[in-house]
Amino acid sequence: MSDAALGAAGTTTGESRPKGRALRGIPAGVRCASPVALFMALGFLAPLLTVIGFAFAEPRTFTVFDSFTLENFAEIFDPADTVWMSFAWSLALALLTVVLLLFVCYPIAYGLVRVFGRWSSLVSIAFVFPLFISENVRLYGWTLFFINHGVLDGLLAQLGLPGPDVLFTPAITLFGMVYTYLPFMLFPMTLGLSMVPADLVEAARDFGASRTMIWREIELPLAMPGILIGALLTFVLAAGAVAEAKILGGQSVIMISHDIEIAFTYSQNWPRGAALAVLLMLVIGGLSMAVMARLDLDRILGRR
Amino acid sequence: MNMTFTQQAETPPAAGSAADAGADPALPVLQLVGVSKRFDGFTAVDDISLDIREGEFLTIVGPSGSGKTTLLRMLAGLEQPSSGNITLRGTLINDLPARARPTCLVFQSLALFPHMSVGRNIEFPLKAKGVAAAARRARALELLKMVRLPEDYYGKNVMKCSGGERQRVALARAFAYDPDVLFFDEPLSALDYKLKKLLEKELKDLHKESGKTFVYITHSLEEAMVMSDRIGVMRAGKLVQVGSPEAIYGAPANRFVAEFVGEVNVFPVSRGDGGWVIGETGEPVRVALPEQMAGARQAAVVVRPEYMRFLEAPGDADNVVRGTVYNEYSLGSRMQYQIRSKHRVFLVEMSRAQTRAGDGKGEVLIGWNAEDAIVVEA
């Protein structure tokens, strides 16, 4: 919109010049950012404000910005309400997912950067490819793998071994989450490790540093931005995960996203769902801020 | 300057100084015998034998791709030779990793740790040796002084230092390791001319004061001439000539070295029936052949521009060429003239204080004496 005004201002003659001057009073950065700002306001800020509005609305009503009450939050923090368990499960499983992924992805990322050489791109593609298939389909695939008389159980039965009973447990939920979010940890981590210049490692080695010292003092600190981004990304995604618990976990644990979904659908209690969503956003947002404060984006983008 | 470092004794003798080891100064500190390095199908370093003497400043020069960096990396222990032997004071070190060698490489990129302060950078080798924090700090401050950086740089972010300051930090860090031999991989190549000249002199001073062996590589012979005790010239993986700067300049082993040293007049000559003639044109030329080439039938004659003179009369020099001045350049204190003769262009250089014979743009006589020309293998 303002772009059009800007264009007009540029070509005006005589009488409309004062308008052009008025626009010129606004810094160029603000003028150029305005289309994006408008888009963000409509597409991002407005829904967010609506959700926040609903969180403070009377329970079980469908009017927003009409009333103000803390009843929804009181209900959630009431010890009789067990929704805190969903929060606990979601955050705990998300945290475990991140920790496991740190250990699983580090060797792979190291290999991609330092060991695999020209095979690196092929390995990367192998990790990206599953993303082209819907998450639900892939999770059902794992169900078929683990289910009684499924792939694993059937194979073990052929060998006369008892099949494992792993499906529909919190552990398999965690497995599903680690599986699903692996690429989101792997690639930022790979980027982070690739930012460690090889000659720095060589120099450290030349100065007599041991492998652990090089890892602790050179590789890890320099790769940390990438690792932190990966951890943040997977944590945020995993905290909102729901499909793994439903499909592989068989509802053995209820995730917070599931509760939010239920509030908006079956129980038709939008204000409660909105209040849960706001709480989840606060927790995740707080953690993200804490991590982002430690990141140096300039260095990640190679400006320094 | 206090170069002693008492904590050294507590750590394994990765880097005992030359004096401690009671090394014979005549013995080479590093010796290469038939060292080659091949990367699938490509020979980067081809059969090099070289003695690096205790305490010398040796510079390896060569155009890019001549294998000098690979040679240095093998000496530092960052690459293993494909064949041949590298010995350190008589001990074979082919497979000894870099961390166990009493040598230290200053990288072209300097390889400073960007997430550490100047002080922590300098202390890194000491930390690797397990020196206590207080002693590390004391030594780092000493080294800052040695490289002429103020003490308050200790806590400065190394990335906030200027190019010249970073050089000094890298140098201080290398000295913190207290190596017997320091390797330099063109560390000054990214600096502006004035700073480069200053740091060249400082490096030379530091070499004298520390008594350590310096091995420096560069593609700039000018840099090598200023600093080195000896210069080695590399070409396509081979060491073409090793000698003092005077020997490299005054008695180049072949045409490549002669041309690498600077702008020169070079032309092929061959032995005809009536004596030597210039290769393509058959003009007679007087050549003073060195003893070792007594039987040669082909050679290349190298005449440095400063040995070419403007002549008053044809009898003033052994060899005379008639030509016209077609360009003149100011080289600061000197003037360079391009003289076009019938068959080729000659370079003549002279001091500004001199006046040349035959002013103007007309025909001039130039020439040189046979003993002023260098005759090398063709």
Side-chain angles (χ1 to χ4, degrees), chain B residues 66 143 149 225 233 241 266 288 293:
Chain B
S66 58
L143 287 162
L149 282 176
M225 290 278 179
V233 183
Q241 188 178 7
V266 188
M293 289 178 66

Side-chain angles (χ1 to χ4, degrees), chain A residues 197-211 213-214 216-222 299 304, chain B residues 73 76 78 98-99 101 103-105 107 109 111-116 120 124-125 127-128 159 173-174 177:
Chain A
D199 56 354
L200 258 53
V201 176
E202 278 188 335
R205 208 178 287 152
D206 193 25
F207 290 130
S210 63
R211 256 168 198 275
M213 186 179 171
I214 293 172
R216 197 182 60 232
E217 305 238 341
I218 313 292
E219 280 181 329
L220 204 56
L222 289 175
R299 209 175 77 73
R304 205 177 73 188
Chain B
R73 287 175 62 84
L78 297 169
R99 57 180 301 245
R101 294 187 188 193
T103 62
C104 180
L105 171 62
F107 285 75
S109 68
L112 292 171
F113 306 130
H115 57 302
M116 295 184 193
R120 278 189 64 203
F124 188 88
K127 203 172 173 188
M159 298 318 277
R173 187 178 61 170
Y177 183 64

